Amino acid sequence: DAGVIQSPRHEVTEMGQEVTLRCKPISGHDYLFWYRQTMMRGLELLIYFNNNVPIDDSGMPEDRFSAKMPNASFSTLKIQPSEPRDSAVYFCASRPGTENTGELFFGEGSRLTVL
Amino acid sequence: DAKTTQPPSMDCAEGRAANLPCNHSTISGNEYVYWYRQIHSQGPQYIIHGLKNNETNEMASLIITEDRKSSTMILPHATLRDTAVYYCTVANAGGTSYGKLTFGQGTILTVHP
């Protein structure tokens, strides 16, 4: 299996622009998570889905952030408009639903820089 | 408010055991202890988890104190490739809520020749 795949790996944009991050979870995994990591705040959960349905979005910072999962193999995290404080590494992770090995499988992350 | 505390950094000689401590004094009865690590510029990688019994897998061992307020994760024979930031966290296992992990600053482990 190729693992969790994220794109783009790096994104540099200007304040006010729309940013879309993409994630392909491991096939067969029922849960998908979006995390954000910064030096100041560490790793924070933004939102997670179960069977394509958002379960908990309490970590989404504000209305500028939105996430969708139109099918089991694809999810997007959108920031519109972007701000410099959104600069961070965004990770997507997935796990199976039927067995609990305790393991979350993370992607390599998307490093976002907003100028 | 951090639920776990870890030393900011540790050193270990290559080939020796690396013992990484973690305090989680407010852990609740249904929370597990999880360890992940993050090598520079990569996503976090799962290492091991446990509830109250000691656990061992192909990567590491986890020793949890009887009162569950602290634990030690052991890499038995550290290599240079084990240099990374190690995170200890607590969370419920299974069900719909597992995966809501919070990582603090972790421990920077440096393995030297």
Side-chain angles (χ1 to χ4, degrees), chain A residues 9 31 33 35 37 39-45 48 50 55-56 58 91 95 100-104 106-108 111, chain B residues 32 34 36 38 40-46 48-49 87 92-105:
Chain A
R9 290 294 311 277
Y31 287 82
F33 303 81
Y35 284 87
Q37 186 175 38
M39 288 293 293
M40 291 295 294
R41 301 175 65 90
L43 191 76
E44 303 172 286
L45 176 66
Y48 77 96
N50 179 22
I55 302 299
D56 185 347
S58 59
F91 288 104
R95 74 166 177 97
N100 176 31
T101 65
E103 181 171 4
L104 274 188
F106 283 82
E108 294 297 294
R111 181 175 295 276
Chain B
Y32 284 64
Y34 294 89
Y36 280 74
Q38 192 169 19
H40 182 62
S41 297
Q42 297 183 18
Q45 177 191 22
Y46 166 83
I48 196 167
H49 77 290
Y87 297 101
N92 292 313
T96 59
S97 63
Y98 176 63
K100 296 176 68 174
L101 301 179
T102 301
F103 291 175
Q105 298 304 309

Side-chain angles (χ1 to χ4, degrees), chain A residues 28-67:
Chain A
H29 282 190
D30 297 334
Y31 287 82
L32 182 141
F33 303 81
W34 281 102
Y35 284 87
R36 177 173 68 176
Q37 186 175 38
T38 62
M39 288 293 293
M40 291 295 294
R41 301 175 65 90
L43 191 76
E44 303 172 286
L45 176 66
L46 300 177
I47 185 172
Y48 77 96
F49 295 82
N50 179 22
N51 292 323
N52 314 337
V53 176
I55 302 299
D56 185 347
D57 65 354
S58 59
M60 296 286 263
E62 49 197 273
D63 292 344
R64 298 184 297 106
F65 285 69
S66 63

Side-chain angles (χ1 to χ4, degrees), chain B residues 27-34 51 68 90-94 97:
Chain B
I27 191 171
S28 62
N30 58 351
E31 288 182 319
Y32 284 64
V33 180
Y34 294 89
L51 182 62
R68 303 211 320 125
V90 296
N92 292 313
S97 63

Side-chain angles (χ1 to χ4, degrees), chain A residues 72-88:
Chain A
S73 60
F74 183 66
S75 177
T76 59
L77 178 67
K78 185 176 293 186
I79 308 172
Q80 168 62 22
S82 59
E83 297 182 2
R85 59 190 168 128
D86 302 329
S87 297

Side-chain angles (χ1 to χ4, degrees), chain B residues 10-86:
Chain B
M10 294 183 66
D11 288 338
C12 178
E14 189 176 21
R16 304 297 295 269
N19 298 274
L20 282 74
C22 180
N23 287 318
H24 31 80
S25 58
T26 60
I27 191 171
S28 62
N30 58 351
E31 288 182 319
Y32 284 64
V33 180
Y34 294 89
W35 284 82
Y36 280 74
R37 73 180 181 183
Q38 192 169 19
I39 296 170
H40 182 62
S41 297
Q42 297 183 18
Q45 177 191 22
Y46 166 83
I47 300 173
I48 196 167
H49 77 290
L51 182 62
K52 56 183 177 180
N53 298 319
N54 297 340
E55 302 288 344
T56 297
N57 63 20
E58 64 277 6
M59 285 185 67
S61 295
L62 177 61
I63 310 297
I64 302 174
T65 58
E66 192 169 344
D67 63 8
R68 303 211 320 125
K69 292 185 177 181
S70 65
S71 61
T72 301
M73 192 277 292
I74 303 169
L75 300 175
H77 305 287
T79 71
L80 299 179
R81 288 176 295 180
D82 292 322
T83 293
V85 182
Y86 287 78

